Amino acid sequence: MSMLVDNPIQALKDYVAYPSVSADSSFANGVAGAREFACAQLQELGFSVDLVDTPIHPIIVATRGEPSWPGIVIYGHYDVQPPDPLNLWTSKPFEAQERNGRLYGRGAADNKGPQIVHMAALARALKKNPNLPLRITYLIEGEEEIGSPSFRQFLEKDKHRLQGDFLLVSDTGSPGPNQLAVTTGLRGLVALEVKVYGPKQDLHSGVHGGALLNPLQALARACASLHDEQGRVTVPGFYDAVQAPQDWEREELSKLPITESAYAEFLGAPGFFPPPGYSPLEAIRFCPTLEFNGIGGGYQGEGSKTVIPAEAFAKITCRLVPDQSAEDIAGKVQKALQSAFPSAVRVEVETKGGGDPYVILPPGKPGADSGSKPLMEKAFSLAEHCIEQSFGTRPLYLREGGSIPIIRDLKEVVGLDSLMLGLFTNEDNLHAPDESFNLEIMNKAIDAFEQFFVGLAG
Ligand code: BES
Ligand code: MN
């Protein structure tokens, strides 16, 4: 408790030091270390901590407080993305380093920093009032960065343990240290893998070329057929369920303190390519996508090689917006792909899981759920107040382009809506080399959350 109170940055350094890469089994010790670290912090805060076994990395469920007190659930993930490519890091990814007001390290922003913010804020509040009448259930998983494959099953079995009026999440972004955001939506996600098979082995392209359909050629044509020239997805029915954003959402977004040209410069991109009718910053939040994450096959080495490859592959993900469903879109894209190849090659399309999109309209906004729980309404206005106190400006209410598939599952299965406060920014390099967490945001957010927890209890 004392480290969380006195030196939360050190606590974050210690947390980052465990290389908890969930995608790679050679990091199993690091994943276990991060989990034990999180459990130890919660124990010090007076939580009773339990581990729920899953086929991969156990889920932490911890509770404090009386069942009669107002209750919330706090979500986080102790796993991180792989650190590769290692040579592009300025300092080592798992030896957190403080430089120019930031703490650099894999997971510093996504999601260990925001978790330390919650814990440090709570530690301060509990130091002043050990009996703070707020029931808190912590839910920290270790498989978020690999799509939470065990989460649905956990929910079905253990949903009764997640009693509370809402879910508090800090695993989303904000425009910058002077402008925080309450996240009002997350895109859904569906992943597909396409494999194309031609001859039984690579062939001499002179001896056999001309007689066969090259799997790479077939794949390139099929992939290209999934968008039109303006970038709209051509998969039949893809946009059927898409809801247009509300006017207030577009207006709120227009208050973003970032210009299109600054955004282009930040990305180092030669130009934008949003779908017709949307600005780039709108497209991220309001439009679905079909993205090629990797296409490959054939010779990739130095020089040339005259070969007809035996196989080719593509990895595709779609980001989804309300009211698209992952299952429906997976089926539609599968069908479009299956019919995009001639019978001269054999094609396999596999769906690799995903999650549905999520929207929470803050109380008071058009279309908001009037039956939402009283503590939830209080939480939104309290969050706005605490952010204004600590950061000097009121938060914007913005949807985000990223995905946290379990947020929708928690709504469907447990009935919990989410209050999402974004603590990382574009400059934090999520999933990329030199990931970092802004320490000014960290310090101000600890103040804001201390007031938030105290206010919720009172
Ligand atoms: N924290 C992110 C999600 C996020 C990023 C939300 C930016 C809002 C803005 C999360 O850890 C993440 O990276 N999710 C993955 C999900 C996937 C691995 C199933 C994503 O969005 O790609
Ligand atoms: Mn992530």
Side-chain angles (χ1 to χ4, degrees):
M1 183 132 163
S2 58
M3 181 167 60
L4 284 173
V5 172
D6 301 333
N7 197 349
I9 295 175
Q10 185 58 46
L12 178 53
K13 286 181 182 167
D14 291 353
Y15 200 7
V16 168
Y18 297 101
S20 50
V21 180
S22 50
D24 183 341
S25 57
S26 69
F27 285 90
N29 283 340
V31 181
R35 181 171 61 241
E36 282 154 20
F37 176 87
C39 288
Q41 302 310 307
L42 292 172
Q43 259 148 6
E44 273 198 46
L45 288 170
F47 280 75
S48 86
V49 180
D50 192 28
L51 285 180
V52 179
D53 240 341
T54 72
I56 314 175
H57 305 301
I59 296 172
I60 302 170
V61 180
T63 56
R64 81 168 289 278
E66 307 289 332
S68 59
W69 292 348
I72 67 171
V73 182
I74 302 181
Y75 170 82
H77 59 91
Y78 62 84
D79 64 325
V80 301
Q81 286 274 322
D84 317 68
L86 285 170
N87 61 323
L88 294 183
W89 284 80
T90 308
S91 55
K92 294 199 174 131
F94 300 111
E95 290 173 25
Q97 200 185 76
E98 228 176 301
R99 297 196 300 275
N100 41 59
R102 297 181 156 271
L103 191 74
Y104 287 83
R106 170 58 85 231
D110 184 8
N111 163 249
K112 289 172 174 172
Q115 278 175 70
I116 294 294
V117 165
H118 294 156
M119 289 179 190
L122 201 54
R124 285 192 198 166
L126 292 177
K127 192 177 175 188
K128 289 173 194 156
N129 178 8
N131 295 317
L132 186 78
L134 182 64
R135 181 174 163 80
I136 301 178
T137 304
Y138 253 99
L139 172 62
I140 310 184
E141 67 158 321
E143 302 177 11
E144 197 276 342
E145 297 292 2
I146 51 173
S148 306
S150 311
F151 203 81
R152 222 28 235 213
Q153 214 180 357
F154 156 78
L155 272 191
E156 298 294 344
K157 192 163 57 73
D158 286 277
K159 56 174 176 250
H160 60 280
R161 302 171 66 171
L162 305 177
Q163 299 298 328
D165 274 24
F166 68 92
L167 185 74
L168 175 65
V169 181
S170 290
D171 194 23
T172 59
S174 272
N178 300 316
Q179 181 60 74
L180 288 212
V182 171
T183 303
T184 56
L186 295 164
R187 288 197 286 191
L189 190 70
V190 62
L192 299 112
E193 205 163 321
V194 191
K195 289 190 179 125
V196 189
Y197 300 96
K200 69 179 184 211
Q201 61 186 52
D202 288 4
L203 298 175
H204 190 293
S205 66
V207 176
H208 303 285
L212 300 166
L213 175 57
N214 180 316
L216 274 172
Q217 178 190 337
L219 180 64
R221 271 193 91 89
C223 286
S225 76
L226 299 177
H227 295 91
D228 68 17
E229 277 172 17
Q230 292 182 299
R232 283 177 62 90
V233 178
T234 54
V235 172
F238 189 81
Y239 293 100
D240 282 359
V242 173
Q243 302 287 333
Q246 297 195 37
D247 290 342
W248 76 264
E249 293 186 280
R250 284 192 123 132
E251 260 168 54
E252 191 80 353
L253 185 53
S254 70
K255 297 179 197 156
L256 254 194
I258 175 174
T259 61
E260 253 180 53
S261 58
Y263 183 41
E265 196 180 324
F266 173 77
L267 297 178
F272 286 116
F273 197 61
Y278 291 86
S279 76
L281 291 165
E282 287 176 338
I284 299 167
R285 296 162 166 91
F286 304 139
C287 300
T289 64
L290 186 155
E291 213 78 67
F292 302 105
N293 306 119
I295 299 184
Y299 182 64
Q300 314 256 335
E302 195 178 334
S304 73
K305 186 180 184 206
T306 48
V307 72
I308 302 170
E311 22 179 300
F313 73 87
K315 290 175 189 276
I316 297 174
T317 49
C318 299
R319 294 281 171 175
L320 310 176
V321 300
D323 289 324
Q324 290 177 302
S325 96
E327 200 184 338
D328 177 64
I329 293 298
K332 285 172 172 159
V333 177
Q334 279 243 7
K335 205 167 148 208
L337 273 166
Q338 296 283 8
S339 63
F341 290 88
S343 59
V345 288
R346 187 166 60 82
V347 182
E348 281 170 10
V349 187
E350 217 186 315
T351 302
K352 301 260 180 183
D356 291 333
Y358 175 78
V359 166
I360 168 79
L361 293 167
K365 298 287 185 197
D369 182 2
S370 55
S372 71
K373 303 176 179 166
L375 192 64
M376 176 87 188
E377 284 194 26
K378 179 176 173 185
F380 267 90
S381 58
L382 193 59
E384 181 165 314
H385 175 74
C386 296
I387 288 172
E388 191 175 5
Q389 290 288 307
S390 300
F391 289 85
T393 39
R394 293 162 63 145
L396 291 175
Y397 290 85
L398 301 173
R399 291 203 228 168
E400 279 281 346
S403 307
I404 312 173
I406 61 97
I407 298 292
R408 175 69 180 266
D409 291 341
L410 278 158
K411 171 70 177 170
E412 299 293 314
V413 181
V414 194
L416 285 174
D417 262 311
S418 289
L419 170 60
M420 299 180 277
L421 289 172
L423 294 185
F424 49 69
T425 72
N426 274 345
E427 289 71 26
D428 293 2
N429 284 353
L430 263 58
H431 295 201
D434 280 351
E435 176 178 349
S436 67
F437 193 45
N438 183 317
L439 296 175
E440 182 191 339
I441 293 185
M442 179 167 177
N443 288 325
K444 288 181 178 171
I446 293 173
D447 286 342
F449 272 107
E450 181 186 349
Q451 297 316 315
F452 178 75
F453 290 134
V454 170
L456 269 185

